């Protein structure tokens, strides 16, 4: 398989060629590949194929479906290295992190191959037994973003197929290539029409969400787009899972061991050049240790290498696309215009979409850089002295995705964590999620669940059978 060319869509078991979608390497700003732009007729064909395949796939014993998920995991794992090289070129993240993402995607396929939906039986001897089983929904419309293009796609494919649905996945137009190659790798694993992967420009997402042939939409992306997806889904009441934006707070209590924590806090904010929904985007630090932590983070900002992810030793890559690059630059310009104090790391190479690591020293709570999800390496760091007040500040957000609490006293940190209005909270840690544990946003970070058995059940519906039995 050639990972450098021939990016084709997987529709009804066929690889379908096409063009029209230029893919840019964000480290250079230059187009390096072309992907197909799926039109409405091909989308119709994919949905019809999914509906046909669903009739058999949905009725296939779950153990057989799980075996094919394991096979898919093995085949992707065997191509992890060329996939990771391609990943770095289209997404920008340095190679170790790219390999890490492929490994996590594989792990999710295997985790869902081991999960079984529950069966509930009620029999009280009154002449009937009620059996509730979970059944698949039909054809799933899956739409993923550019920041974790492989993980966030496989996190939908794995539970959707394990549950017995067919799926049509559309990766972001900025990062379609790895998922198209994964479609090619998996071409003969699932029956034709069960797994379909299509790529396209801005018009394709709305065409998909409006398509009457889908039973469910699973969407990961921004809150603004999530609202449009929900509006579109309302027309025929498609089931919805929305994993949207975040503006996560980290609260650093005064007894935190900064020797152990500083580096973790740094990468919790800046890994993947801060383009992570669950990155720390507001850092609240107790006044007793504020200057100490600021000094440590500023030193890290100076030493971590920013550059082309394909070069050895690069730790942080570019912003993934020009649109986002312009947005983050505008946010920094706005902070400068406001007269805020910025601590900046070294600039990246010329030509690519590089933004230096930027720490904003104690900006006012109402500044844009605190209130908006930056989704780029601009971290506002704020002092606090009173724990109740800082919890209120952390919760004063339309988002409710995740957060973290840091302290030498874990019980004290747990007390604070329980008061955060988010779906996930880490103590003395950040970023890591587990396949067996539900991940769900609150407020405008979305609704529905990914991961865990709850994530599997998002792709299923309960069916309760009332069966007559002899009275006891
Ligand atoms: P985006 O909303 O711009 O795009 C996401 C996907 O939706 C892309 O595939 C895009 O082509 C498609 N799309 C765009 N308009 C559409 C429409 N009207 N209808 C249907 N589909 C449409 O998001 P992005 O910029 O790619 O990703 C960044 C955002 O995603 C950030 O806000 C980030 O926090 C969020 N995110 C959330 C999670 C999570 O799990 N909660 C994970 C990663 C990223």
């Amino acid at each position: 398989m050639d990972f450098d060319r021939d990016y084709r869509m997987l529709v009804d078991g066929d690889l379908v060629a096409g063009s029209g979608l230029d893919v840019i390497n964000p480290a250079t700003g230059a187009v390096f590949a072309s992907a197909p732009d799926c039109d409405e007729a091909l989308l119709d064909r994919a949905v019809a194929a999914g509906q046909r395949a669903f009739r058999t796939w949905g009725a296939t014993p779950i153990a057989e479906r799980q075996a094919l998920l394991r096979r898919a995991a093995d085949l992707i794992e065997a191509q992890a290295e060329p996939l990771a090289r391609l990943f770095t070129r289209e997404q920008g993240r340095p190679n170790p992190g790219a390999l890490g993402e492929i490994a996590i995607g594989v792990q999710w396929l295997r985790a869902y191959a081991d999960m079984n939906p529950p069966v509930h039986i009620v029999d009280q001897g009154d002449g009937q037994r009620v059996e509730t089983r979970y059944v698949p929904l039909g054809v799933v419309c899956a739409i993923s973003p550019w920041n974790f293009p492989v993980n966030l796609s496989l996190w939908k494919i794995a539970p959707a197929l394990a549950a017995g649905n067919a799926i049509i996945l559309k990766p972001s137009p900025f990062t379609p290539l790895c998922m198209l190659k994964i479609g090619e790798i998996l071409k003969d694993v699932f029956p034709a029409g069960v797994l379909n992967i299509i790529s396209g420009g801005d018009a394709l997402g709305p065409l998909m969400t409006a398509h009457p042939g889908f039973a469910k939409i699973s969407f990961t992306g921004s809150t603004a787009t999530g609202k449009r997806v929900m509006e579109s889904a309302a027309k025929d009441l498609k089931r919805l899972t929305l994993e949207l934006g975040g503006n996560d707070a980290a609260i650093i209590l005064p007894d935190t061991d900064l020797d152990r924590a500083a580096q973790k806090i740094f990468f919790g904010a800046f890994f993947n050049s801060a383009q992570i929904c669950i990155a720390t985007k507001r850092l609240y630090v107790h006044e007793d240790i504020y200057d100490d932590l600021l000094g440590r983070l500023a030193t890290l900002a100076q030493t971590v290498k920013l550059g082309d992810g394909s070069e050895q030793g690069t730790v942080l890559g570019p912003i993934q696309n020009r649109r986002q690059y312009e947005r983050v630059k505008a946010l920094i310009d706005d902070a400068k215009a406001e007269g805020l104090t910025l601590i900046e790391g070294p600039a990246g190479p010329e030509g690519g979409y590089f933004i230096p690591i930027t720490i904003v020293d104690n900006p006012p709570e109402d500044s844009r850089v605190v209130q908006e999800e930056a989704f780029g390496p601009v971290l506002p760091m704020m002092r606090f002295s009173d724990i109740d007040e800082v919890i209120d500040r952390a919760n004063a957000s339309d988002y409710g995705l995740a957060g973290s609490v840091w302290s030498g006293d874990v019980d004290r940190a747990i007390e604070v964590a329980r008061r955060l209005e988010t779906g996930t909270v880490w103590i003395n840690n950040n970023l890591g999620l587990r396949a067996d544990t539900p991940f769900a946003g609150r407020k405008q970070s979305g609704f529905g669940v990914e991961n865990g058995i709850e994530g599997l059940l998002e792709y299923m519906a309960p069916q309760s059978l009332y069966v007559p039995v002899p009275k006891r």
Side-chain angles (χ1 to χ4, degrees):
M1 186 176 302
D2 188 344
F3 286 80
D4 292 333
R5 56 186 61 76
D6 297 335
Y7 302 105
R8 288 171 290 172
M9 301 179 282
L10 178 63
V11 174
D12 198 11
D14 292 332
L15 292 175
V16 182
S19 61
L21 200 59
D22 284 344
V23 185
I24 291 172
N25 179 342
T28 63
V31 174
F32 76 100
S34 167
D37 190 359
C38 178
D39 63 18
E40 196 168 357
L42 189 64
L43 172 64
D44 286 342
R45 187 183 149 202
V47 175
Q51 287 175 329
R52 194 177 348 99
F54 170 66
R55 287 189 213 118
T56 316
W57 180 248
T60 300
I62 190 165
E64 286 177 36
R65 299 198 298 256
Q66 292 168 336
L68 296 188
L69 284 184
R70 286 192 195 96
R71 175 149 174 71
D74 293 346
L75 291 175
I76 295 171
E77 192 171 48
Q79 302 291 350
E81 301 224 337
L83 274 172
R85 279 195 293 277
L86 178 61
F87 186 106
T88 297
R89 285 217 280 168
E90 71 169 334
Q91 204 278 340
R93 190 187 315 152
N95 196 253
L99 274 170
E101 173 149 352
I102 312 289
I104 290 174
V106 165
Q107 191 189 334
W108 251 246
L109 285 166
R110 292 195 176 126
Y112 275 103
D114 286 336
M115 266 185 230
N116 291 296
V119 178
H120 306 290
I121 297 185
V122 181
D123 183 353
Q124 296 178 332
D126 58 353
Q128 69 176 1
R129 187 179 72 243
V130 187
E131 294 177 9
T132 303
R133 289 170 202 278
Y134 288 83
V135 296
L137 301 171
V139 187
V140 171
C141 161
I143 298 180
S144 57
W146 45 259
N147 61 330
F148 280 77
V150 172
N151 272 359
L152 297 174
S153 299
L154 290 176
W155 289 17
K156 302 184 187 313
I157 290 173
L161 297 191
N165 302 282
I167 191 168
I168 298 172
L169 172 95
K170 185 196 82 65
S172 165
F174 296 113
T175 52
L177 302 181
C178 280
M179 284 316 298
L180 292 174
K181 280 294 161 192
I182 284 177
E184 192 176 336
I185 293 168
L186 303 183
K187 175 178 175 298
D188 298 319
V189 174
F190 301 98
V194 167
L195 171 65
N196 304 273
I197 299 181
I198 58 178
S199 58
D202 288 345
L204 185 56
L207 275 181
M208 290 174 75
T209 58
H211 200 294
F214 288 111
K216 150 115 195 166
I217 300 172
S218 178
F219 172 83
T220 303
S222 62
T223 295
T225 310
K227 290 177 187 176
R228 286 196 279 277
V229 169
M230 190 164 177
E231 231 177 274
S232 172
K235 283 190 209 90
D236 44 13
L237 282 182
K238 292 185 186 82
R239 271 55 187 150
L240 261 187
T241 302
L242 297 176
E243 293 291 353
L244 308 177
N247 198 9
D248 292 4
I251 298 177
I252 320 294
L253 300 180
D255 59 353
T256 303
D257 177 354
L258 293 183
D259 287 342
R260 292 172 64 175
Q263 191 152 340
K264 267 192 190 170
I265 293 170
F266 180 85
F267 284 106
F270 294 113
F271 178 66
N272 202 33
S273 297
Q275 303 163 112
I276 312 185
C277 55
I278 51 175
T280 296
K281 293 172 186 148
R282 295 176 290 155
L283 181 58
Y284 293 101
V285 186
H286 191 273
E287 60 186 0
D288 290 356
I289 56 168
Y290 182 94
D291 293 334
D292 187 357
L293 183 57
L294 180 61
R296 290 170 192 252
L297 298 183
T299 305
L300 282 164
Q302 288 303 321
T303 48
V304 161
K305 186 179 168 202
L306 173 67
D308 186 330
S310 63
E311 285 169 17
Q312 279 276 330
T314 303
V315 177
L316 297 177
I319 296 298
Q320 198 284 322
N321 58 74
R322 174 164 286 280
R323 203 188 292 170
Q324 185 63 13
Y325 170 76
E326 300 293 352
R327 247 207 90 234
V328 178
K329 268 203 334 193
L331 203 58
I332 293 176
D333 290 346
D334 189 76
K336 285 181 179 160
E338 252 189 274
L340 303 179
T341 308
L342 272 56
I343 294 145
E344 290 177 291
E350 291 290 309
Y353 308 144
F354 292 99
I355 293 195
I357 289 173
T358 305
I359 299 165
V360 189
D361 182 6
N362 206 29
E365 199 66 31
D366 62 357
S367 56
R368 263 186 76 195
V369 77
V370 180
Q371 291 300 316
E372 288 185 21
E373 177 187 37
F375 222 62
V378 190
L379 178 67
M381 178 165 170
M382 284 79 71
R383 285 176 192 273
F384 77 87
S385 54
D386 180 79
I387 191 66
D388 293 325
E389 184 241 16
V390 80
I391 292 170
D392 286 346
R393 286 161 74 186
N395 284 335
S397 170
D398 288 339
Y399 294 111
L401 196 56
S404 60
V405 183
W406 303 70
S407 169
D409 178 345
V410 169
D411 291 334
R412 183 162 173 234
I414 290 173
E415 273 173 35
V416 175
R418 289 197 197 286
R419 294 170 64 192
L420 292 182
E421 296 165 356
T422 65
T424 300
V425 189
W426 293 270
I427 309 292
N428 296 337
N429 208 345
N430 45 33
L431 298 188
L433 295 174
R434 294 177 56 98
D436 59 8
T437 300
F439 173 66
R442 287 165 66 177
K443 304 183 191 171
Q444 294 193 29
S445 291
F447 61 76
V449 184
E450 250 177 353
N451 308 341
I453 196 82
E454 293 85 348
L456 179 67
L457 296 182
E458 293 269 308
Y459 293 95
M460 307 188 91
Q463 185 188 45
S464 298
L465 288 187
Y466 287 72
V467 183
V469 292
K471 271 193 183 163
R472 289 202 297 272

